[in-house]
Amino acid sequence: MNTSIGRRGFIAGVSALLVSACSKVAETDAAKSLFSAAPEWQRKIHRSLASRMALAKEYPRSAISPDFRGNGSRTVDTDAYRSALAAGFPDWKLEVTGMVSTPLSLGLDDIRKLPQRTQITRHDCVEGWSAIGEWTGPQLSAILDAAGVKDSARFVVFRCADTYAGRKYYESVDMVDARHPQTIVAHSLNGEPLPEKNGAPLRMRIERQLGYKHAKYLTGIEVVDTLENIGEGKGGYWEDRSGYQWYAGM
Ligand SMILES: Nc1nc2c(c(=O)[nH]1)N[C@H]1C(S)=C(S)[C@@H](COP(=O)(O)O)O[C@H]1N2
Ligand SMILES: [Mo]
């Protein structure tokens, strides 16, 4: 798979915006010093976007952890989940909704038919442990493109089947992380279907972000322009509960 999908287009778009804003400003004398400073802001924006699109380190097979710990919810505590797990999740659906032109309802076969990406990365939990695993699944950007994201959309919310300590788990990222080449909807760990404790049958991998962003037991992807009305409004389970930072980039 191409590892830099969208990066050039995105940066070019931002630059074009700045250039057109600058040429208007430059028409007034007062703004001349601002205009001469413009190339420096453009360089800064290029640098920060380029750094956010940079790839997380990938590892050789020999680095894979023998056991990838399960953390937080290690299952979904419902009869429906237990029987779906036993049957291999024939009816599991990933619903893609919100600010899209074509809402989607994808089964596991649909997910496996999309172009796949495999990556061996290190997961870092804020609780102070790490594990290396090989994850496989389609890039989230391919799913977003299939659904057709509206221009004014700003965030992608991940809905999960589990409740943890009595509340539904959820997470969210901005469009830069959503379209990052290593942001995938993973159905496999180390070449096998996801284990129950690691989020079977689907979970997010968002490799430039800390562990709590990687939503497990994924049932929905919701495209929104504000996080205000989601959960308690801070963009994620731990962000709402414990003041974890919404932007957990590494
Ligand atoms: N649905 C859901 N996703 C979740 C959690 C959870 O409790 N529920 N825990 C998060 C945290 S804090 C971490 S570190 C990782 C753990 O993933 P693992 O169980 O595969 O190690 O999942 C994240 N995603
Ligand atoms: Mo975590």
Side-chain angles (χ1 to χ4, degrees), residues 5-21:
I5 292 176
R7 171 173 154 182
R8 280 212 193 103
F10 190 43
I11 293 176
V14 172
S15 304
L17 225 106
L18 282 175
V19 169
S20 66

Side-chain angles (χ1 to χ4, degrees), residues 50-114:
S51 87
R52 289 204 55 201
M53 292 306 280
L55 297 182
K57 181 178 161 91
E58 296 193 15
Y59 293 78
R61 281 240 159 85
S62 58
I64 291 174
S65 305
D67 177 50
F68 201 106
R69 170 175 170 167
N71 200 50
S73 290
R74 297 166 50 90
T75 188
V76 178
D77 191 14
T78 65
D79 289 338
Y81 180 81
R82 279 181 284 274
S83 56
L85 173 72
F89 300 104
D91 303 319
W92 193 271
K93 289 285 183 287
L94 176 64
E95 308 285 346
V96 184
T97 60
M99 299 177 71
V100 294
S101 43
T102 315
L104 305 172
S105 178
L106 305 171
L108 295 186
D109 286 345
D110 302 319
I111 301 274
R112 289 194 205 96
K113 269 185 220 137
L114 289 164

